[in-house]
Every structure is written in C-alpha cells, then in structure tokens.
Amino acid sequence: MSAIAFIACFLVFLVAYLTRNVLFYGVVINLLALTVVALDKFKSTYQLFRIRETDFYVIFLFGGWVGGIAGMLLLRHKTRKVSFLASAAVASVVSILVSARVLGWT
C-alpha cells in the first residue's frame, strides 16, 4: 500500500501544481488522509488486514496531517500508541517546514 499511497499523493500534488491551485491540493490530500484513517479504523474493528503506518507517514509528509490527525481524534484511532503519535508529529512538522519553504514563507 505504500506505493499506492505515494502514487495517490503524488498525483494529487501534480494536478494541484499544474493547475496552480493550492486550496484544491490541501482539501483533497486531507480528505484522503481522513479516508485512510477511517478505513484503517474499519479494518481494525473487523480484524481485517490493516494499513501500514508508513502509509500514514507518507500521507502526513505530503500535507495530509490535518485530516489525519482530525480522523485520529474523531474516530479515536491510534491515539494510545505513543510511538505512532511521535512519528506522526515529526512527519507533520517536516511537512509544515517544507511547505513553508516551498511557498516562500521563510
């Protein structure tokens, strides 16, 4: 799934870059993150094959950290796992720093 998550994030990024629409990118990538968290919550409830944590990190690095964290809090999913929360926080901070640099906010 990591390759699929990367390709999905990259395609959303590419469309947003080509259309020069940052708002579109932010909305779609965060909806993707929220959907992935909800899907993993569903899979964990029914003891199905789970989504790897690296997929979450890839989506967080591409800017989907707002939707991912919102999904985690709303669905109460992966909130007890301290190692995941720390890694998600690092991925979110890196995403913010890279976005700020790319957008010229530094």
Side-chain angles (χ1 to χ4, degrees), residues 14-73:
L14 185 63
V15 169
Y17 178 76
L18 292 175
T19 61
R20 304 278 190 223
N21 195 339
V22 176
L23 182 62
F24 167 79
Y25 177 74
V27 168
V28 172
I29 199 73
N30 283 293
L31 285 175
L32 176 68
L34 183 64
T35 304
V36 169
V37 171
L39 181 63
D40 193 53
K41 175 68 174 184
F42 173 80
K43 287 182 171 192
S44 69
T45 303
Y46 292 101
Q47 298 174 350
L48 300 173
F49 184 72
R50 304 282 301 278
I51 297 172
R52 293 185 302 195
E53 290 182 0
T54 55
D55 296 334
F56 289 105
Y57 302 145
V58 167
I59 294 172
F60 284 11
L61 283 172
F62 271 87
W65 58 273
V66 174
I69 291 173
M72 288 169 47
L73 295 175

Side-chain angles (χ1 to χ4, degrees), residues 40 50 53 56 72 77-81 84-85:
D40 193 53
R50 304 282 301 278
E53 290 182 0
F56 289 105
M72 288 169 47
H77 185 58
K78 292 194 173 281
T79 54
R80 292 185 187 177
K81 200 169 182 184
F84 177 79
L85 292 175

